[in-house]
Amino acid sequence: MSRKIQNSLIAFIMATSVSALFVQSNIEFMKTEIFHIPVLFIVILGVSLFIAEDVRDSFKKVLWFDKREDKRPIWQVGIGSIFFFTQIGFVEVFARHLMHFNLGGMPLYCVFAFMNAFLLTVIYEEIFYEEEKTNVQIVKFKNRMK
């Protein structure tokens, strides 16, 4: 379940990124919408659903996720960034009217996306993260207690 959620959010991020690039272009057929949803977004979302698993695995290889002893910190950063960029992409494609509000020079949608990503990461971790108890972790805990 966790993997499907991550892959669908990654596909959403890729689709919103491409759609946000073409929203401001001069090419009219790229701006075509059905019920306020860009057609380009629908097409790219369909394509990116097929490659989302490969993208996720590539990031895991680049960040040496499988070789790390303690996978939790990099897992949290990965999930947090997925939630952050999903919210940013949503605002850039579907709620562009929210982009002009600022908080001391910082776009307000970025501030809210960061706060929400932090909270969603904590909630997601409580639901899905399974920490494997190994002898190394038990020894580390015993050494800390001394």
Side-chain angles (χ1 to χ4, degrees):
M1 181 71 170
S2 174
R3 180 174 286 194
K4 289 180 182 179
I5 292 171
Q6 291 175 29
N7 288 343
S8 61
L9 290 176
I10 289 172
F12 184 83
I13 292 168
M14 289 188 286
T16 54
S17 298
V18 172
S19 298
L21 288 174
F22 288 105
V23 165
Q24 299 299 320
S25 70
N26 294 331
I27 307 169
E28 286 302 317
F29 72 89
M30 293 287 198
K31 299 178 184 181
T32 308
E33 294 181 349
I34 299 175
F35 299 114
H36 302 289
I37 299 173
V39 173
L40 179 65
F41 172 79
I42 297 168
V43 172
I44 299 297
L45 182 64
V47 171
S48 58
L49 281 171
F50 288 111
I51 64 171
E53 179 72 28
D54 295 330
V55 170
R56 198 164 83 42
D57 289 340
S58 297
F59 274 103
K60 286 171 77 173
K61 286 179 185 174
V62 167
L63 298 173
W64 295 346
F65 184 75
D66 294 330
K67 295 179 183 177
R68 295 175 182 266
E69 267 186 50
D70 188 12
K71 296 177 180 170
R72 185 175 179 199
I74 197 74
W75 186 88
Q76 289 173 330
V77 168
I79 296 299
S81 64
I82 288 172
F83 285 132
F84 177 75
F85 288 116
T86 300
Q87 294 172 69
I88 296 293
F90 177 81
V91 170
E92 288 180 347
V93 174
F94 298 107
R96 292 192 71 83
H97 62 279
L98 297 175
M99 292 180 73
H100 63 82
F101 297 110
N102 288 324
L103 180 66
M106 179 87 167
L108 195 58
Y109 73 98
C110 291
V111 174
F112 281 120
F114 183 78
M115 292 186 307
N116 289 338
F118 176 75
L119 291 173
L120 287 171
T121 302
V122 172
I123 294 167
Y124 193 83
E125 180 181 18
E126 289 297 321
I127 296 171
F128 290 110
Y129 185 74
E130 296 175 2
E131 189 171 356
E132 298 174 2
K133 298 286 184 190
T134 61
N135 292 334
V136 174
Q137 291 175 340
I138 294 169
V139 170
K140 285 181 182 179
F141 179 73
K142 287 181 181 177
N143 288 339
R144 287 184 191 164
M145 296 303 290
K146 290 182 182 179

